[in-house]
Amino acid sequence: MNVTIKDIANVAGVSYSTVSKALNNSPLVKENTKRKIIKISQEMGYKPNFAARSLVSNQTKIIGLIWPTIERIVLSTLVTEISNQINKTSYSMILSVDPVQTSLETFRRFQVDGIILFEENNDEFDASQSSALLSYGVTRKDDRNYPKIDPNHEQAMHMAVEYLAMLGHTQIAYIGDLSSIDPMQIQKYKGFKKAIKQHGLFLNEDYLIDTEGLDWYNGYTATGKLFKMTNRPTAIVGGSYDISGGIIRAMKERKLHIPNDFSIISYDNVPQMANMEFPLTSIGVPVGELAAEIVKSIIKLVESEEMNSIDVYSNKMMPKLNLRSSCARPRL
Amino acid sequence: MNVTIKDIANVAGVSYSTVSKALNNSPLVKENTKRKIIKISQEMGYKPNFAARSLVSNQTKIIGLIWPTIERIVLSTLVTEISNQINKTSYSMILSVDPVQTSLETFRRFQVDGIILFEENNDEFDASQSSALLSYGVTRKDDRNYPKIDPNHEQAMHMAVEYLAMLGHTQIAYIGDLSSIDPMQIQKYKGFKKAIKQHGLFLNEDYLIDTEGLDWYNGYTATGKLFKMTNRPTAIVGGSYDISGGIIRAMKERKLHIPNDFSIISYDNVPQMANMEFPLTSIGVPVGELAAEIVKSIIKLVESEEMNSIDVYSNKMMPKLNLRSSCARPRL
DNA sequence: TTGAAAGCGCTACCAC
DNA sequence: GTGGTAGCGCTTTCAA
């Protein structure tokens, strides 16, 4: 059987309520007894019983996260990063891989204090009975009244184009998923078009290359279309980490040089960008910052909700340009 | 506030101990009252409080699973399937994406009843303090005293070669990761060689094609090597789902016909095989069976451990050949 | 500064 | 068949 505070109390010769206070570092206990109790509890190998604690305190200190159904390396990096950051707090994180509704129910039985949801999980669901909810990504339903964290895709495209234009590029292509109904993809592509216009460049419709998907191979094939053009662009914005991987590969196979033949900026600001076949300059909210904001927000939400003040907000996070060596001035 | 059994008791006009029994389907309650109570509890949206239940019963009915670090579609299919199957039992499953040691500690705080571990998680760790542990995959350390579930890779290769040989193939290639130190890859590749010999075929070393990785693109590139040969094989065994995807793509690009130009069998018996560019005949333990065995074993382990009888066993599961239309007799 | 006691939601036992 | 009640391990008043 596990050691309980009563066992400790017996050994220490105090009441078990004193033990409880001591272990929770309450200022109501004399430093001396506190130290003694802590020492004894360690010697006895005491581990607090989570169930008992959460039963009485009515909070579990657990954050639940519903695993995004669309598997992308960027999302799993985000999830891992969120987990790491939560581990640094007094909270823990658990995951569910079930559909949203099922996950929500599981989490309710666990009485998790807060739930992180990815808007890619776009199933219909009823969140009315749940604990504090926070979502990441572009929401499809405006009537959902929980806070949202979302990268500013439009601004990202603006910064990418701005940087390329500054280097002297005027012929910039976008290789990304134009056919998707995923609002995130739509925002990127619209953002790109808007940015081109804002920088006074000519928007060549041929330079909007549809990958028809987000996989590595989609980027690879789409890049093939680009080589068939007579009037090739000098710079490319890749729509995602995976797509850009395919672009690089297509370049390498044709013995093309980055950045001399083509300057490339990739969407998605993840550290893995540095380990690609060719390290790419990238644009996007750094995944660490995203995770930090998500963790900070969910905890704030959880703790504020206890005082019944749920304020619905939406945070469009600012992207950053991460310079590597995949961009140069265009050849004359 | 959440609905409790007391609330239900009030509405139903019975005592709350009767509610408890009814909800646990105890034979001590009259069918009539049982039905009434269940109906009311559903209407009120009752969800049992895990913490309270586990506090008294001293078990959580939770299985923890440590997310495999190597991301493969096959593994995530397995995890999802395991989750689905656990949901059908009285247990629930939670995931941790942290390193093994951290996950183990989190799970201990949760007092999970059992833990599923993937042997890909090959970190060093101390499992001595943990609850019932079960691992999937080839263990690297023989001194670990917990049960293991593992597909019989050797038998799988035997069956694949047998089938191809039966169709009349004598020139069979293996495209897989030969350079890996992952014991699972080593077993596949050795199994293939052994199977070739057992079927009295000549083992052409050139037909062992190293993908140098498990990604889609590794299969794609490795297939290129095959086309450079003068004496090409007539049949191919693909080392994994992703690798085989690359093989198919390489075939398609060269306008080669499956199965007329090449017969292909892929390792990994997952349903997604049917949705590939070309549906492939596949070999491996069906992922559903694997999940079922894992779930059955961990639950058995959890429940037997309560009577202190931990028997360490290792289950090498039998693969199955899943016929689709990617194999035919070789051309003469 | 410490101790006693109530009670979180539930299961399980014993009475009726 | 049903109800009453003890108690799981802990936190949190309130009293001493």
Side-chain angles (χ1 to χ4, degrees):
Chain A
M1 204 50 219
N2 269 323
V3 192
T4 71
I5 51 172
K6 284 191 183 172
D7 300 325
I8 300 173
N10 275 144
V11 176
V14 293
S15 78
Y16 69 87
S17 59
T18 306
V19 175
S20 172
K21 284 172 205 146
L23 260 20
N24 288 306
N25 199 24
S26 157
L28 299 172
V29 183
K30 202 163 49 171
E31 268 307 320
N32 252 350
T33 34
K34 203 186 275 185
R35 265 201 301 279
K36 187 174 119 200
I37 289 171
I38 290 173
K39 183 156 166 286
I40 290 176
S41 75
Q42 275 166 196
E43 282 166 3
M44 298 178 74
Y46 170 76
K47 301 280 170 198
N49 183 321
F50 231 56
R53 178 178 292 173
S54 80
L55 185 59
V56 45
S57 64
N58 211 29
Q59 49 159 352
T60 52
K61 289 275 185 181
I62 303 170
I63 304 293
L65 184 147
I66 304 176
W67 187 262
T69 44
I70 302 175
E71 307 232 351
R72 299 270 152 227
I73 190 147
V74 179
L75 282 188
S76 52
T77 307
L78 218 204
V79 172
T80 309
E81 189 60 29
I82 290 174
S83 177
N84 291 343
Q85 300 216 18
I86 287 184
N87 284 340
K88 288 184 196 148
T89 70
S90 59
Y91 290 80
S92 307
M93 183 182 103
I94 59 173
L95 293 177
S96 169
V97 288
D98 296 320
V100 180
Q101 191 65 55
T102 317
S103 302
L104 250 25
E105 278 159 22
T106 304
F107 286 155
R108 182 145 69 120
R109 295 202 300 172
F110 277 96
Q111 322 245 101
V112 301
D113 292 341
I115 297 172
I116 300 170
L117 175 76
F118 286 67
E119 210 55 38
E120 276 79 3
N121 291 320
N122 66 331
D123 331 10
E124 287 295 323
F125 60 89
D126 168 26
S128 56
Q129 297 264 26
S130 299
S131 31
L133 214 69
L134 175 81
S135 90
Y136 167 79
V138 187
T139 41
R140 283 156 218 250
K141 309 236 170 188
D142 282 336
D143 57 332
R144 293 187 176 163
N145 59 337
Y146 44 73
K148 304 153 182 79
I149 307 274
D150 187 30
N152 191 333
H153 304 284
E154 203 167 88
Q155 175 65 14
M157 284 302 169
H158 183 87
M159 288 165 71
V161 170
E162 182 169 63
Y163 176 63
L164 290 170
M166 187 206 75
L167 284 173
H169 292 276
T170 55
Q171 298 179 298
I172 307 174
Y174 176 68
I175 300 184
D177 195 357
L178 312 178
S179 55
S180 172
I181 56 153
D182 173 8
M184 198 181 287
Q185 306 314 321
I186 294 172
Q187 286 194 359
K188 288 187 207 169
Y189 142 61
K190 287 199 174 158
F192 176 81
K193 294 215 290 193
K194 194 169 161 190
I196 289 287
K197 284 179 201 152
Q198 280 176 338
H199 289 89
L201 300 175
F202 172 66
L203 179 67
N204 182 342
E205 291 286 341
D206 290 342
Y207 285 175
L208 297 168
I209 301 176
D210 190 0
T211 54
E212 295 165 28
L214 283 167
D215 281 334
W216 188 95
Y217 192 73
N218 301 123
Y220 178 80
T221 338
T223 309
K225 298 183 197 168
L226 182 143
F227 295 125
K228 295 200 185 103
M229 298 182 188
T230 47
N231 182 27
R232 295 187 187 169
T234 57
I236 299 171
V237 178
S240 77
Y241 174 83
D242 296 289
I243 286 174
S244 300
I247 297 175
I248 299 179
R249 187 70 231 173
M251 297 277 172
K252 287 249 172 178
E253 283 187 4
R254 285 172 179 79
K255 307 251 186 295
L256 259 17
H257 188 267
I258 305 169
N260 290 350
D261 295 311
F262 291 95
S263 288
I264 303 182
I265 291 184
S266 175
Y267 202 87
D268 287 332
N269 203 336
V270 289
Q272 291 96 315
M273 284 290 177
N275 310 324
M276 298 183 85
E277 268 191 283
F278 191 98
L280 293 184
T281 290
S282 60
I283 184 75
V285 182
V287 73
E289 285 183 23
L290 222 37
E293 182 62 28
I294 291 173
V295 171
K296 202 188 79 189
S297 299
I298 188 70
I299 290 177
K300 190 176 146 213
L301 191 67
V302 165
E303 295 180 347
S304 77
E305 198 171 24
E306 278 156 24
M307 8 197 126
N308 284 322
S309 73
I310 317 166
D311 48 345
V312 177
Y313 60 91
S314 180
N315 183 355
K316 287 262 179 205
M317 291 188 68
M318 287 305 277
K320 282 197 180 130
L321 193 64
N322 208 328
L323 294 181
R324 295 192 182 86
S325 50
S326 64
C327 296
R329 310 190 75 81
R331 293 191 190 169
L332 299 180
Chain B
M1 203 53 221
N2 268 324
V3 191
T4 73
I5 51 171
K6 284 190 183 171
D7 300 324
I8 299 172
N10 275 144
V11 175
V14 293
S15 79
Y16 73 87
S17 60
T18 304
V19 174
S20 173
K21 282 173 209 149
L23 260 20
N24 289 306
N25 199 24
S26 158
L28 299 171
V29 183
K30 203 164 47 169
E31 269 307 320
N32 251 352
T33 33
K34 202 186 276 185
R35 266 202 300 280
K36 186 173 122 199
I37 290 172
I38 290 173
K39 183 159 165 285
I40 291 175
S41 76
Q42 275 166 197
E43 282 167 4
M44 297 179 73
Y46 169 76
K47 301 280 171 200
N49 183 320
F50 262 41
R53 177 179 291 175
S54 79
L55 184 58
V56 44
S57 65
N58 210 31
Q59 49 161 348
T60 51
K61 290 273 183 181
I62 303 170
I63 305 293
L65 184 147
I66 304 176
W67 187 263
T69 45
I70 302 177
E71 307 231 352
R72 298 273 151 225
I73 190 151
V74 179
L75 281 187
S76 52
T77 306
L78 220 203
V79 172
T80 309
E81 189 60 28
I82 291 174
S83 175
N84 291 341
Q85 300 216 19
I86 287 184
N87 284 340
K88 288 184 195 147
T89 71
S90 57
Y91 290 79
S92 307
M93 185 184 102
I94 59 173
L95 293 177
S96 168
V97 289
D98 295 321
V100 180
Q101 192 65 56
T102 317
S103 301
L104 251 25
E105 278 157 24
T106 304
F107 286 155
R108 185 151 60 144
R109 293 206 304 166
F110 279 91
Q111 322 240 103
V112 301
D113 292 340
I115 297 172
I116 300 170
L117 176 75
F118 285 69
E119 210 53 38
E120 276 79 2
N121 293 320
N122 66 331
D123 331 10
E124 287 296 322
F125 59 88
D126 168 26
S128 58
Q129 296 265 26
S130 298
S131 30
L133 214 69
L134 175 80
S135 89
Y136 167 79
V138 188
T139 41
R140 283 158 219 252
K141 308 236 173 188
D142 282 335
D143 58 330
R144 290 186 178 165
N145 59 340
Y146 43 74
K148 304 150 183 83
I149 307 273
D150 188 30
N152 191 331
H153 304 284
E154 205 167 86
Q155 175 65 13
M157 283 303 171
H158 182 85
M159 288 166 72
V161 171
E162 182 168 60
Y163 176 64
L164 291 170
M166 188 206 73
L167 284 173
H169 292 276
T170 55
Q171 298 181 298
I172 308 174
Y174 176 68
I175 301 184
D177 195 355
L178 311 178
S179 54
S180 172
I181 55 153
D182 173 7
M184 199 181 285
Q185 306 314 319
I186 294 172
Q187 286 195 358
K188 287 189 210 170
Y189 143 63
K190 288 200 172 157
F192 176 80
K193 295 215 288 192
K194 195 169 162 191
I196 289 286
K197 285 179 200 153
Q198 280 175 339
H199 289 90
L201 300 174
F202 173 66
L203 180 68
N204 182 342
E205 293 284 341
D206 290 343
Y207 286 174
L208 297 169
I209 301 176
D210 190 0
T211 54
E212 295 164 30
L214 283 167
D215 281 333
W216 189 95
Y217 192 74
N218 300 123
Y220 178 80
T221 338
T223 308
K225 298 183 197 166
L226 181 142
F227 295 125
K228 295 198 186 104
M229 297 182 188
T230 47
N231 182 26
R232 294 185 189 172
T234 57
I236 298 170
V237 178
S240 77
Y241 174 84
D242 296 289
I243 287 174
S244 300
I247 297 175
I248 299 179
R249 187 71 230 170
M251 297 277 169
K252 288 248 173 182
E253 283 187 3
R254 285 172 180 80
K255 308 254 187 290
L256 259 14
H257 187 268
I258 305 169
N260 291 349
D261 295 311
F262 291 94
S263 287
I264 304 182
I265 292 183
S266 175
Y267 203 87
D268 287 333
N269 201 337
V270 289
Q272 292 96 316
M273 284 289 175
N275 311 323
M276 300 183 83
E277 268 192 284
F278 190 97
L280 292 185
T281 290
S282 60
I283 185 72
V285 182
V287 73
E289 285 182 24
L290 222 37
E293 183 61 29
I294 291 173
V295 171
K296 201 189 80 189
S297 300
I298 188 70
I299 290 177
K300 189 177 145 213
L301 190 68
V302 165
E303 296 181 347
S304 78
E305 198 169 24
E306 279 156 22
M307 7 198 125
N308 284 322
S309 72
I310 318 167
D311 48 346
V312 177
Y313 59 93
S314 180
N315 184 355
K316 287 260 179 207
M317 291 189 69
M318 288 303 279
K320 284 200 178 122
L321 193 64
N322 209 329
L323 294 181
R324 293 191 184 87
S325 49
S326 64
C327 295
R329 309 190 76 81
R331 291 190 191 171
L332 298 181

